[in-house]
Amino acid sequence: MATDAAVKTSNAGKLYLVASPIGNLQDISLRALEVLRQVDLVACEDTRHSLKLLNHYEISKPTLSLHDHNERQRTEGLLEKLNGGKNIAILSDAGTPLISDPGYIFVRAAVAAGIPVEAIPGPCALVQALVLGGLPVSPFTFMGFLPPKSAARRRHFESLKEVGHTLVFYESCHRIQKFLQEAFDTLGDRPVVLAREMTKKFEEIFRGPLSRAIQPDCLRSWKGEFVVLIGAAG
Ligand code: SAM
């Protein structure tokens, strides 16, 4: 168990960061379920979404929303609860909290306040894609979501031109084809992996050159969730 000189020995509760499935509800650890059963409160990115998971495992807990738009306001109240001895879990809609998801502001404040923080490991889409992709995994650079506007995205690609290892991106299905075209225009014809709907019924993995990935018939469907890996220039 992690120790930290700043951690209080008082009766403060614990903050748990609980990884949840990225598609298949069975991909949750026994320890994650145990923690969710034991905590006093579950702070969820989307309470309705997380209730599906909690109900599936017959876990009945008070929930509270914690998303990008209210995390700053919520943090103080949640710290008070932790200081008062309550145990709190953070649960994302999918995968590991803080990874392109809310939680960083709250965790930073909890650490600064000396509250014990424990992460319960589990699914994370970027790791799943790296493991499946067949491109070198070490080192890699995780970029998360690039900005939605084309010009800003192209600037990011330009700045990544000289990076000599695997780049990992999250992208929405609405922008994925534009994203690939812009990557091809700026980075050239590199190896790419499109990891679509991982762990779900329609999981599909494309491995090949960017020049093929920009063709509309490269995948069976362009719907759903995507992780994109782009390899170093040959
Ligand atoms: N916290 C999550 C994690 O640990 O991976 C990521 C949350 S981020 C808001 C959501 C993005 O993750 C999606 O837009 C997609 O890029 C990626 N993602 C999540 N689940 C996925 C899946 N089953 N298949 C492919 N990509 C997925």
Side-chain angles (χ1 to χ4, degrees), residues 15-50:
L15 174 58
Y16 292 94
L17 312 169
V18 179
S20 60
I22 58 168
N24 186 324
L25 283 186
Q26 292 186 13
D27 293 335
I28 187 157
S29 75
L30 295 176
R31 193 149 78 93
L33 293 175
E34 189 183 303
V35 164
L36 290 170
R37 284 193 182 102
Q38 283 175 1
V39 290
D40 299 291
L41 176 71
V42 183
C44 315
E45 187 182 2
D46 177 341
T47 49
R48 274 182 308 179
H49 188 100
S50 293

PDB file of all heavy atoms in Angstrom, residues 15-50:
ATOM      1  N   LEU A  15      -9.671   8.468  -0.423  1.00  0.00           N
ATOM      2  CA  LEU A  15     -10.180   8.716  -1.776  1.00  0.00           C
ATOM      3  C   LEU A  15      -9.704   7.575  -2.673  1.00  0.00           C
ATOM      4  O   LEU A  15      -8.495   7.338  -2.787  1.00  0.00           O
ATOM      5  CB  LEU A  15      -9.649  10.059  -2.298  1.00  0.00           C
ATOM      6  CG  LEU A  15      -9.974  10.378  -3.749  1.00  0.00           C
ATOM      7  CD1 LEU A  15     -11.475  10.378  -4.009  1.00  0.00           C
ATOM      8  CD2 LEU A  15      -9.370  11.736  -4.138  1.00  0.00           C
ATOM      9  N   TYR A  16     -10.656   6.887  -3.297  1.00  0.00           N
ATOM     10  CA  TYR A  16     -10.321   5.768  -4.176  1.00  0.00           C
ATOM     11  C   TYR A  16     -10.585   6.162  -5.627  1.00  0.00           C
ATOM     12  O   TYR A  16     -11.652   6.709  -5.940  1.00  0.00           O
ATOM     13  CB  TYR A  16     -11.199   4.553  -3.859  1.00  0.00           C
ATOM     14  CG  TYR A  16     -10.933   3.934  -2.516  1.00  0.00           C
ATOM     15  CD1 TYR A  16     -11.687   4.310  -1.400  1.00  0.00           C
ATOM     16  CD2 TYR A  16      -9.944   2.969  -2.353  1.00  0.00           C
ATOM     17  CE1 TYR A  16     -11.464   3.739  -0.158  1.00  0.00           C
ATOM     18  CE2 TYR A  16      -9.712   2.389  -1.114  1.00  0.00           C
ATOM     19  CZ  TYR A  16     -10.474   2.776  -0.031  1.00  0.00           C
ATOM     20  OH  TYR A  16     -10.254   2.203   1.207  1.00  0.00           O
ATOM     21  N   LEU A  17      -9.625   5.866  -6.509  1.00  0.00           N
ATOM     22  CA  LEU A  17      -9.794   6.099  -7.940  1.00  0.00           C
ATOM     23  C   LEU A  17     -10.055   4.737  -8.557  1.00  0.00           C
ATOM     24  O   LEU A  17      -9.144   3.900  -8.601  1.00  0.00           O
ATOM     25  CB  LEU A  17      -8.533   6.740  -8.519  1.00  0.00           C
ATOM     26  CG  LEU A  17      -8.024   7.930  -7.696  1.00  0.00           C
ATOM     27  CD1 LEU A  17      -6.647   8.359  -8.149  1.00  0.00           C
ATOM     28  CD2 LEU A  17      -9.018   9.081  -7.783  1.00  0.00           C
ATOM     29  N   VAL A  18     -11.280   4.513  -8.986  1.00  0.00           N
ATOM     30  CA  VAL A  18     -11.684   3.161  -9.385  1.00  0.00           C
ATOM     31  C   VAL A  18     -11.814   3.064 -10.903  1.00  0.00           C
ATOM     32  O   VAL A  18     -12.632   3.763 -11.515  1.00  0.00           O
ATOM     33  CB  VAL A  18     -13.028   2.781  -8.715  1.00  0.00           C
ATOM     34  CG1 VAL A  18     -13.463   1.390  -9.135  1.00  0.00           C
ATOM     35  CG2 VAL A  18     -12.913   2.865  -7.196  1.00  0.00           C
ATOM     36  N   ALA A  19     -11.017   2.190 -11.517  1.00  0.00           N
ATOM     37  CA  ALA A  19     -11.128   1.985 -12.970  1.00  0.00           C
ATOM     38  C   ALA A  19     -12.347   1.110 -13.263  1.00  0.00           C
ATOM     39  O   ALA A  19     -12.622   0.145 -12.543  1.00  0.00           O
ATOM     40  CB  ALA A  19      -9.867   1.322 -13.494  1.00  0.00           C
ATOM     41  N   SER A  20     -13.067   1.480 -14.320  1.00  0.00           N
ATOM     42  CA  SER A  20     -14.296   0.756 -14.671  1.00  0.00           C
ATOM     43  C   SER A  20     -14.183   0.231 -16.113  1.00  0.00           C
ATOM     44  O   SER A  20     -13.286   0.635 -16.862  1.00  0.00           O
ATOM     45  CB  SER A  20     -15.498   1.691 -14.505  1.00  0.00           C
ATOM     46  OG  SER A  20     -15.360   2.803 -15.354  1.00  0.00           O
ATOM     47  N   PRO A  21     -15.097  -0.636 -16.543  1.00  0.00           N
ATOM     48  CA  PRO A  21     -15.008  -1.220 -17.885  1.00  0.00           C
ATOM     49  C   PRO A  21     -15.050  -0.169 -18.994  1.00  0.00           C
ATOM     50  O   PRO A  21     -15.668   0.892 -18.839  1.00  0.00           O
ATOM     51  CB  PRO A  21     -16.251  -2.105 -17.955  1.00  0.00           C
ATOM     52  CG  PRO A  21     -16.583  -2.421 -16.542  1.00  0.00           C
ATOM     53  CD  PRO A  21     -16.211  -1.210 -15.758  1.00  0.00           C
ATOM     54  N   ILE A  22     -14.417  -0.480 -20.139  1.00  0.00           N
ATOM     55  CA  ILE A  22     -14.512   0.420 -21.304  1.00  0.00           C
ATOM     56  C   ILE A  22     -15.502  -0.143 -22.333  1.00  0.00           C
ATOM     57  O   ILE A  22     -15.514   0.269 -23.477  1.00  0.00           O
ATOM     58  CB  ILE A  22     -13.138   0.696 -21.965  1.00  0.00           C
ATOM     59  CG1 ILE A  22     -12.467  -0.613 -22.425  1.00  0.00           C
ATOM     60  CG2 ILE A  22     -12.232   1.491 -21.043  1.00  0.00           C
ATOM     61  CD1 ILE A  22     -11.254  -0.378 -23.336  1.00  0.00           C
ATOM     62  N   GLY A  23     -16.324  -1.061 -21.916  1.00  0.00           N
ATOM     63  CA  GLY A  23     -17.319  -1.614 -22.846  1.00  0.00           C
ATOM     64  C   GLY A  23     -17.949  -2.876 -22.284  1.00  0.00           C
ATOM     65  O   GLY A  23     -19.167  -2.976 -22.182  1.00  0.00           O
ATOM     66  N   ASN A  24     -17.110  -3.805 -21.882  1.00  0.00           N
ATOM     67  CA  ASN A  24     -17.613  -5.078 -21.381  1.00  0.00           C
ATOM     68  C   ASN A  24     -17.734  -5.006 -19.859  1.00  0.00           C
ATOM     69  O   ASN A  24     -16.724  -4.871 -19.154  1.00  0.00           O
ATOM     70  CB  ASN A  24     -16.635  -6.186 -21.801  1.00  0.00           C
ATOM     71  CG  ASN A  24     -17.167  -7.563 -21.446  1.00  0.00           C
ATOM     72  OD1 ASN A  24     -17.805  -7.748 -20.416  1.00  0.00           O
ATOM     73  ND2 ASN A  24     -16.897  -8.525 -22.303  1.00  0.00           N
ATOM     74  N   LEU A  25     -18.952  -5.098 -19.363  1.00  0.00           N
ATOM     75  CA  LEU A  25     -19.191  -4.905 -17.918  1.00  0.00           C
ATOM     76  C   LEU A  25     -18.430  -5.898 -17.034  1.00  0.00           C
ATOM     77  O   LEU A  25     -18.254  -5.665 -15.841  1.00  0.00           O
ATOM     78  CB  LEU A  25     -20.689  -5.018 -17.609  1.00  0.00           C
ATOM     79  CG  LEU A  25     -21.566  -3.812 -17.952  1.00  0.00           C
ATOM     80  CD1 LEU A  25     -22.979  -4.020 -17.450  1.00  0.00           C
ATOM     81  CD2 LEU A  25     -20.991  -2.518 -17.377  1.00  0.00           C
ATOM     82  N   GLN A  26     -17.968  -6.994 -17.640  1.00  0.00           N
ATOM     83  CA  GLN A  26     -17.239  -7.977 -16.819  1.00  0.00           C
ATOM     84  C   GLN A  26     -15.801  -7.549 -16.541  1.00  0.00           C
ATOM     85  O   GLN A  26     -15.116  -8.161 -15.728  1.00  0.00           O
ATOM     86  CB  GLN A  26     -17.259  -9.330 -17.517  1.00  0.00           C
ATOM     87  CG  GLN A  26     -18.656  -9.897 -17.533  1.00  0.00           C
ATOM     88  CD  GLN A  26     -18.716 -11.298 -18.092  1.00  0.00           C
ATOM     89  OE1 GLN A  26     -17.704 -11.956 -18.265  1.00  0.00           O
ATOM     90  NE2 GLN A  26     -19.913 -11.743 -18.365  1.00  0.00           N
ATOM     91  N   ASP A  27     -15.354  -6.507 -17.256  1.00  0.00           N
ATOM     92  CA  ASP A  27     -13.963  -6.063 -17.076  1.00  0.00           C
ATOM     93  C   ASP A  27     -13.839  -5.116 -15.885  1.00  0.00           C
ATOM     94  O   ASP A  27     -13.468  -3.952 -16.023  1.00  0.00           O
ATOM     95  CB  ASP A  27     -13.448  -5.363 -18.340  1.00  0.00           C
ATOM     96  CG  ASP A  27     -13.330  -6.311 -19.502  1.00  0.00           C
ATOM     97  OD1 ASP A  27     -13.175  -7.521 -19.275  1.00  0.00           O
ATOM     98  OD2 ASP A  27     -13.414  -5.838 -20.645  1.00  0.00           O
ATOM     99  N   ILE A  28     -14.153  -5.617 -14.716  1.00  0.00           N
ATOM    100  CA  ILE A  28     -13.967  -4.816 -13.493  1.00  0.00           C
ATOM    101  C   ILE A  28     -13.365  -5.742 -12.446  1.00  0.00           C
ATOM    102  O   ILE A  28     -13.714  -6.926 -12.379  1.00  0.00           O
ATOM    103  CB  ILE A  28     -15.297  -4.173 -13.021  1.00  0.00           C
ATOM    104  CG1 ILE A  28     -15.022  -3.221 -11.857  1.00  0.00           C
ATOM    105  CG2 ILE A  28     -16.359  -5.208 -12.675  1.00  0.00           C
ATOM    106  CD1 ILE A  28     -16.069  -2.158 -11.654  1.00  0.00           C
ATOM    107  N   SER A  29     -12.447  -5.207 -11.663  1.00  0.00           N
ATOM    108  CA  SER A  29     -11.741  -6.106 -10.745  1.00  0.00           C
ATOM    109  C   SER A  29     -12.574  -6.393  -9.495  1.00  0.00           C
ATOM    110  O   SER A  29     -13.460  -5.617  -9.116  1.00  0.00           O
ATOM    111  CB  SER A  29     -10.389  -5.510 -10.352  1.00  0.00           C
ATOM    112  OG  SER A  29     -10.580  -4.459  -9.434  1.00  0.00           O
ATOM    113  N   LEU A  30     -12.235  -7.492  -8.842  1.00  0.00           N
ATOM    114  CA  LEU A  30     -12.918  -7.861  -7.594  1.00  0.00           C
ATOM    115  C   LEU A  30     -12.694  -6.771  -6.551  1.00  0.00           C
ATOM    116  O   LEU A  30     -13.586  -6.427  -5.781  1.00  0.00           O
ATOM    117  CB  LEU A  30     -12.380  -9.200  -7.080  1.00  0.00           C
ATOM    118  CG  LEU A  30     -12.661 -10.403  -7.986  1.00  0.00           C
ATOM    119  CD1 LEU A  30     -12.005 -11.657  -7.430  1.00  0.00           C
ATOM    120  CD2 LEU A  30     -14.172 -10.612  -8.115  1.00  0.00           C
ATOM    121  N   ARG A  31     -11.478  -6.205  -6.579  1.00  0.00           N
ATOM    122  CA  ARG A  31     -11.160  -5.163  -5.583  1.00  0.00           C
ATOM    123  C   ARG A  31     -11.972  -3.891  -5.868  1.00  0.00           C
ATOM    124  O   ARG A  31     -12.424  -3.219  -4.944  1.00  0.00           O
ATOM    125  CB  ARG A  31      -9.658  -4.854  -5.598  1.00  0.00           C
ATOM    126  CG  ARG A  31      -9.220  -4.036  -4.396  1.00  0.00           C
ATOM    127  CD  ARG A  31      -7.797  -4.392  -4.024  1.00  0.00           C
ATOM    128  NE  ARG A  31      -6.841  -3.757  -4.916  1.00  0.00           N
ATOM    129  CZ  ARG A  31      -6.277  -2.589  -4.669  1.00  0.00           C
ATOM    130  NH1 ARG A  31      -6.566  -1.913  -3.571  1.00  0.00           N
ATOM    131  NH2 ARG A  31      -5.408  -2.091  -5.505  1.00  0.00           N
ATOM    132  N   ALA A  32     -12.169  -3.584  -7.164  1.00  0.00           N
ATOM    133  CA  ALA A  32     -12.976  -2.407  -7.501  1.00  0.00           C
ATOM    134  C   ALA A  32     -14.396  -2.578  -6.951  1.00  0.00           C
ATOM    135  O   ALA A  32     -14.965  -1.655  -6.357  1.00  0.00           O
ATOM    136  CB  ALA A  32     -13.006  -2.212  -9.018  1.00  0.00           C
ATOM    137  N   LEU A  33     -14.946  -3.785  -7.125  1.00  0.00           N
ATOM    138  CA  LEU A  33     -16.315  -4.027  -6.632  1.00  0.00           C
ATOM    139  C   LEU A  33     -16.367  -3.933  -5.109  1.00  0.00           C
ATOM    140  O   LEU A  33     -17.297  -3.358  -4.539  1.00  0.00           O
ATOM    141  CB  LEU A  33     -16.812  -5.401  -7.102  1.00  0.00           C
ATOM    142  CG  LEU A  33     -17.027  -5.516  -8.619  1.00  0.00           C
ATOM    143  CD1 LEU A  33     -17.391  -6.947  -8.996  1.00  0.00           C
ATOM    144  CD2 LEU A  33     -18.105  -4.550  -9.096  1.00  0.00           C
ATOM    145  N   GLU A  34     -15.324  -4.469  -4.459  1.00  0.00           N
ATOM    146  CA  GLU A  34     -15.273  -4.432  -2.993  1.00  0.00           C
ATOM    147  C   GLU A  34     -15.229  -2.972  -2.509  1.00  0.00           C
ATOM    148  O   GLU A  34     -15.955  -2.583  -1.587  1.00  0.00           O
ATOM    149  CB  GLU A  34     -14.031  -5.187  -2.539  1.00  0.00           C
ATOM    150  CG  GLU A  34     -13.935  -5.419  -1.068  1.00  0.00           C
ATOM    151  CD  GLU A  34     -12.620  -6.122  -0.746  1.00  0.00           C
ATOM    152  OE1 GLU A  34     -12.359  -7.205  -1.301  1.00  0.00           O
ATOM    153  OE2 GLU A  34     -11.850  -5.541   0.045  1.00  0.00           O
ATOM    154  N   VAL A  35     -14.394  -2.168  -3.180  1.00  0.00           N
ATOM    155  CA  VAL A  35     -14.281  -0.755  -2.774  1.00  0.00           C
ATOM    156  C   VAL A  35     -15.613  -0.039  -3.001  1.00  0.00           C
ATOM    157  O   VAL A  35     -16.097   0.709  -2.140  1.00  0.00           O
ATOM    158  CB  VAL A  35     -13.130  -0.066  -3.550  1.00  0.00           C
ATOM    159  CG1 VAL A  35     -13.236   1.444  -3.457  1.00  0.00           C
ATOM    160  CG2 VAL A  35     -11.788  -0.537  -3.012  1.00  0.00           C
ATOM    161  N   LEU A  36     -16.238  -0.286  -4.154  1.00  0.00           N
ATOM    162  CA  LEU A  36     -17.520   0.376  -4.436  1.00  0.00           C
ATOM    163  C   LEU A  36     -18.586  -0.023  -3.401  1.00  0.00           C
ATOM    164  O   LEU A  36     -19.457   0.764  -3.054  1.00  0.00           O
ATOM    165  CB  LEU A  36     -17.991   0.057  -5.855  1.00  0.00           C
ATOM    166  CG  LEU A  36     -17.145   0.705  -6.959  1.00  0.00           C
ATOM    167  CD1 LEU A  36     -17.522   0.160  -8.336  1.00  0.00           C
ATOM    168  CD2 LEU A  36     -17.285   2.231  -6.942  1.00  0.00           C
ATOM    169  N   ARG A  37     -18.476  -1.256  -2.906  1.00  0.00           N
ATOM    170  CA  ARG A  37     -19.443  -1.696  -1.889  1.00  0.00           C
ATOM    171  C   ARG A  37     -19.172  -1.037  -0.537  1.00  0.00           C
ATOM    172  O   ARG A  37     -20.076  -0.861   0.262  1.00  0.00           O
ATOM    173  CB  ARG A  37     -19.372  -3.226  -1.712  1.00  0.00           C
ATOM    174  CG  ARG A  37     -20.049  -3.944  -2.844  1.00  0.00           C
ATOM    175  CD  ARG A  37     -20.294  -5.430  -2.560  1.00  0.00           C
ATOM    176  NE  ARG A  37     -20.902  -5.999  -3.751  1.00  0.00           N
ATOM    177  CZ  ARG A  37     -20.235  -6.734  -4.643  1.00  0.00           C
ATOM    178  NH1 ARG A  37     -18.982  -7.045  -4.448  1.00  0.00           N
ATOM    179  NH2 ARG A  37     -20.861  -7.164  -5.725  1.00  0.00           N
ATOM    180  N   GLN A  38     -17.897  -0.670  -0.306  1.00  0.00           N
ATOM    181  CA  GLN A  38     -17.530  -0.197   1.037  1.00  0.00           C
ATOM    182  C   GLN A  38     -17.570   1.317   1.213  1.00  0.00           C
ATOM    183  O   GLN A  38     -17.708   1.798   2.323  1.00  0.00           O
ATOM    184  CB  GLN A  38     -16.137  -0.715   1.391  1.00  0.00           C
ATOM    185  CG  GLN A  38     -16.185  -2.184   1.798  1.00  0.00           C
ATOM    186  CD  GLN A  38     -14.809  -2.766   2.038  1.00  0.00           C
ATOM    187  OE1 GLN A  38     -13.813  -2.068   1.917  1.00  0.00           O
ATOM    188  NE2 GLN A  38     -14.768  -4.040   2.367  1.00  0.00           N
ATOM    189  N   VAL A  39     -17.399   2.068   0.103  1.00  0.00           N
ATOM    190  CA  VAL A  39     -17.301   3.522   0.271  1.00  0.00           C
ATOM    191  C   VAL A  39     -18.649   4.129   0.695  1.00  0.00           C
ATOM    192  O   VAL A  39     -19.696   3.494   0.587  1.00  0.00           O
ATOM    193  CB  VAL A  39     -16.806   4.228  -1.023  1.00  0.00           C
ATOM    194  CG1 VAL A  39     -15.354   3.913  -1.293  1.00  0.00           C
ATOM    195  CG2 VAL A  39     -17.703   3.909  -2.198  1.00  0.00           C
ATOM    196  N   ASP A  40     -18.584   5.376   1.164  1.00  0.00           N
ATOM    197  CA  ASP A  40     -19.812   6.069   1.585  1.00  0.00           C
ATOM    198  C   ASP A  40     -20.477   6.781   0.417  1.00  0.00           C
ATOM    199  O   ASP A  40     -21.672   7.038   0.438  1.00  0.00           O
ATOM    200  CB  ASP A  40     -19.456   7.098   2.671  1.00  0.00           C
ATOM    201  CG  ASP A  40     -18.843   6.422   3.885  1.00  0.00           C
ATOM    202  OD1 ASP A  40     -19.583   5.705   4.578  1.00  0.00           O
ATOM    203  OD2 ASP A  40     -17.625   6.579   4.106  1.00  0.00           O
ATOM    204  N   LEU A  41     -19.660   7.134  -0.590  1.00  0.00           N
ATOM    205  CA  LEU A  41     -20.185   7.957  -1.683  1.00  0.00           C
ATOM    206  C   LEU A  41     -19.398   7.652  -2.955  1.00  0.00           C
ATOM    207  O   LEU A  41     -18.172   7.472  -2.905  1.00  0.00           O
ATOM    208  CB  LEU A  41     -19.992   9.439  -1.310  1.00  0.00           C
ATOM    209  CG  LEU A  41     -20.370  10.490  -2.336  1.00  0.00           C
ATOM    210  CD1 LEU A  41     -21.887  10.550  -2.496  1.00  0.00           C
ATOM    211  CD2 LEU A  41     -19.843  11.869  -1.907  1.00  0.00           C
ATOM    212  N   VAL A  42     -20.110   7.612  -4.092  1.00  0.00           N
ATOM    213  CA  VAL A  42     -19.424   7.421  -5.377  1.00  0.00           C
ATOM    214  C   VAL A  42     -19.598   8.698  -6.192  1.00  0.00           C
ATOM    215  O   VAL A  42     -20.726   9.108  -6.502  1.00  0.00           O
ATOM    216  CB  VAL A  42     -19.996   6.207  -6.150  1.00  0.00           C
ATOM    217  CG1 VAL A  42     -19.208   5.992  -7.441  1.00  0.00           C
ATOM    218  CG2 VAL A  42     -19.963   4.952  -5.289  1.00  0.00           C
ATOM    219  N   ALA A  43     -18.479   9.351  -6.501  1.00  0.00           N
ATOM    220  CA  ALA A  43     -18.510  10.564  -7.330  1.00  0.00           C
ATOM    221  C   ALA A  43     -18.347  10.118  -8.784  1.00  0.00           C
ATOM    222  O   ALA A  43     -17.303   9.580  -9.163  1.00  0.00           O
ATOM    223  CB  ALA A  43     -17.384  11.508  -6.921  1.00  0.00           C
ATOM    224  N   CYS A  44     -19.411  10.301  -9.584  1.00  0.00           N
ATOM    225  CA  CYS A  44     -19.441   9.748 -10.945  1.00  0.00           C
ATOM    226  C   CYS A  44     -19.419  10.872 -11.967  1.00  0.00           C
ATOM    227  O   CYS A  44     -20.070  11.902 -11.786  1.00  0.00           O
ATOM    228  CB  CYS A  44     -20.727   8.991 -11.210  1.00  0.00           C
ATOM    229  SG  CYS A  44     -21.240   7.885  -9.923  1.00  0.00           S
ATOM    230  N   GLU A  45     -18.743  10.598 -13.075  1.00  0.00           N
ATOM    231  CA  GLU A  45     -18.752  11.545 -14.184  1.00  0.00           C
ATOM    232  C   GLU A  45     -20.205  11.763 -14.636  1.00  0.00           C
ATOM    233  O   GLU A  45     -20.647  12.883 -14.836  1.00  0.00           O
ATOM    234  CB  GLU A  45     -17.899  10.951 -15.317  1.00  0.00           C
ATOM    235  CG  GLU A  45     -17.682  11.898 -16.448  1.00  0.00           C
ATOM    236  CD  GLU A  45     -16.882  11.251 -17.573  1.00  0.00           C
ATOM    237  OE1 GLU A  45     -16.533  10.061 -17.485  1.00  0.00           O
ATOM    238  OE2 GLU A  45     -16.630  11.970 -18.544  1.00  0.00           O
ATOM    239  N   ASP A  46     -20.941  10.677 -14.783  1.00  0.00           N
ATOM    240  CA  ASP A  46     -22.360  10.750 -15.159  1.00  0.00           C
ATOM    241  C   ASP A  46     -23.084   9.721 -14.290  1.00  0.00           C
ATOM    242  O   ASP A  46     -22.879   8.511 -14.460  1.00  0.00           O
ATOM    243  CB  ASP A  46     -22.496  10.427 -16.656  1.00  0.00           C
ATOM    244  CG  ASP A  46     -23.946  10.397 -17.115  1.00  0.00           C
ATOM    245  OD1 ASP A  46     -24.849  10.271 -16.259  1.00  0.00           O
ATOM    246  OD2 ASP A  46     -24.176  10.495 -18.325  1.00  0.00           O
ATOM    247  N   THR A  47     -23.902  10.222 -13.373  1.00  0.00           N
ATOM    248  CA  THR A  47     -24.495   9.305 -12.384  1.00  0.00           C
ATOM    249  C   THR A  47     -25.381   8.245 -13.064  1.00  0.00           C
ATOM    250  O   THR A  47     -25.352   7.078 -12.680  1.00  0.00           O
ATOM    251  CB  THR A  47     -25.321  10.083 -11.334  1.00  0.00           C
ATOM    252  OG1 THR A  47     -26.183  10.972 -12.016  1.00  0.00           O
ATOM    253  CG2 THR A  47     -24.442  10.876 -10.398  1.00  0.00           C
ATOM    254  N   ARG A  48     -26.115   8.665 -14.118  1.00  0.00           N
ATOM    255  CA  ARG A  48     -27.009   7.687 -14.764  1.00  0.00           C
ATOM    256  C   ARG A  48     -26.200   6.561 -15.399  1.00  0.00           C
ATOM    257  O   ARG A  48     -26.554   5.393 -15.337  1.00  0.00           O
ATOM    258  CB  ARG A  48     -27.875   8.369 -15.832  1.00  0.00           C
ATOM    259  CG  ARG A  48     -29.139   8.983 -15.230  1.00  0.00           C
ATOM    260  CD  ARG A  48     -29.974   9.585 -16.297  1.00  0.00           C
ATOM    261  NE  ARG A  48     -29.161  10.496 -17.112  1.00  0.00           N
ATOM    262  CZ  ARG A  48     -29.607  11.173 -18.151  1.00  0.00           C
ATOM    263  NH1 ARG A  48     -30.865  11.066 -18.510  1.00  0.00           N
ATOM    264  NH2 ARG A  48     -28.815  11.982 -18.827  1.00  0.00           N
ATOM    265  N   HIS A  49     -25.081   6.954 -16.024  1.00  0.00           N
ATOM    266  CA  HIS A  49     -24.222   5.957 -16.681  1.00  0.00           C
ATOM    267  C   HIS A  49     -23.661   4.989 -15.633  1.00  0.00           C
ATOM    268  O   HIS A  49     -23.704   3.774 -15.808  1.00  0.00           O
ATOM    269  CB  HIS A  49     -23.088   6.686 -17.417  1.00  0.00           C
ATOM    270  CG  HIS A  49     -22.258   5.795 -18.264  1.00  0.00           C
ATOM    271  ND1 HIS A  49     -22.418   5.702 -19.629  1.00  0.00           N
ATOM    272  CD2 HIS A  49     -21.275   4.924 -17.940  1.00  0.00           C
ATOM    273  CE1 HIS A  49     -21.567   4.813 -20.097  1.00  0.00           C
ATOM    274  NE2 HIS A  49     -20.851   4.329 -19.099  1.00  0.00           N
ATOM    275  N   SER A  50     -23.127   5.545 -14.537  1.00  0.00           N
ATOM    276  CA  SER A  50     -22.499   4.676 -13.520  1.00  0.00           C
ATOM    277  C   SER A  50     -23.526   3.809 -12.801  1.00  0.00           C
ATOM    278  O   SER A  50     -23.183   2.724 -12.315  1.00  0.00           O
ATOM    279  CB  SER A  50     -21.721   5.521 -12.513  1.00  0.00           C
ATOM    280  OG  SER A  50     -20.627   6.112 -13.148  1.00  0.00           O
TER     281      SER A  50
END
